[in-house]
């Protein structure tokens, strides 16, 4: 169940794909897809979703782009692990509705390519 009236679910998932594709352009490699179940609280709602998480490898770490449903806006976060089974270490979450340059900067930061620079 999509918890937002003023944010498009379709657009959110397009942005996740854009972020994943940009990570691949920077050297990440698609490994596999794994079904995962997540439970998130958004205000007074609890959302349980089963997602097909696309798993990538960058350097010696595995990651996926995890969904985060916050009260005002959907976010996403890169989650890392040493193995596919241990993906749980989150970077800082960021909103999906940044412009493309800001999204690319978040990907570079999450992958450790550059330091986080926030004006």
């Amino acid at each position: 169940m999509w918890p937002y009236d003023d944010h498009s679910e379709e657009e959110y998932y397009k942005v996740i794909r854009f972020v994943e594709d940009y990570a691949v352009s920077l050297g990440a490699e698609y490994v596999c897809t794994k079904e995962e179940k997540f439970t998130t609280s958004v205000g007074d709602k609890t959302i349980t979703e089963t997602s097909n998480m696309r798993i990538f490898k960058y350097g010696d770490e595995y990651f996926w782009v995890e969904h985060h449903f916050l009260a005002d806006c959907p976010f996403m976060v890169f989650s890392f692990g040493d193995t596919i089974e241990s993906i749980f270490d989150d970077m800082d979450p960021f909103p999906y509705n940044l412009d493309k340059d800001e999204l690319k900067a978040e990907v570079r930061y999450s992958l450790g390519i550059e330091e986080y620079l926030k004006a």
Side-chain angles (χ1 to χ4, degrees):
M1 179 178 131
W2 186 248
Y4 305 100
D5 293 328
D6 53 346
H7 295 281
S8 165
E9 182 176 12
E10 181 181 341
E11 184 63 25
Y12 175 71
Y13 288 106
K14 278 184 190 177
V15 173
I16 286 180
R17 184 56 67 125
F18 171 81
V19 164
E20 291 172 339
D21 290 346
Y22 183 61
V24 168
S25 78
L26 295 172
E29 296 177 28
Y30 171 76
V31 175
C32 65
T33 300
K34 181 179 178 190
E35 188 174 273
E36 286 290 319
K37 188 174 187 175
F38 298 96
T39 301
T40 306
S41 294
V42 179
D44 60 351
K45 299 177 186 173
T46 299
I47 301 166
T48 299
E49 71 169 343
T50 301
S51 296
N52 290 318
M53 302 302 291
R54 292 171 34 93
I55 299 172
F56 301 86
K57 187 171 185 183
Y58 185 77
D60 60 353
E61 290 188 295
Y62 294 89
F63 73 88
W64 61 37
V65 180
E66 193 171 310
H67 313 159
H68 275 257
F69 299 121
L70 301 182
D72 294 335
C73 176
F75 276 57
M76 62 188 78
V77 66
F78 277 70
S79 296
F80 291 89
D82 294 333
T83 67
I84 291 172
E85 291 75 29
S86 69
I87 297 175
F88 61 87
D89 244 354
D90 293 347
M91 294 297 293
D92 290 328
F94 55 95
Y96 84 102
N97 55 354
L98 299 173
D99 70 37
K100 287 189 178 189
D101 288 335
E102 291 171 315
L103 288 167
K104 288 178 176 182
E106 291 288 351
V107 173
R108 292 189 304 271
Y109 164 69
S110 294
L111 294 177
I113 293 170
E114 62 187 42
E115 291 187 33
Y116 187 71
L117 302 172
K118 190 71 174 179

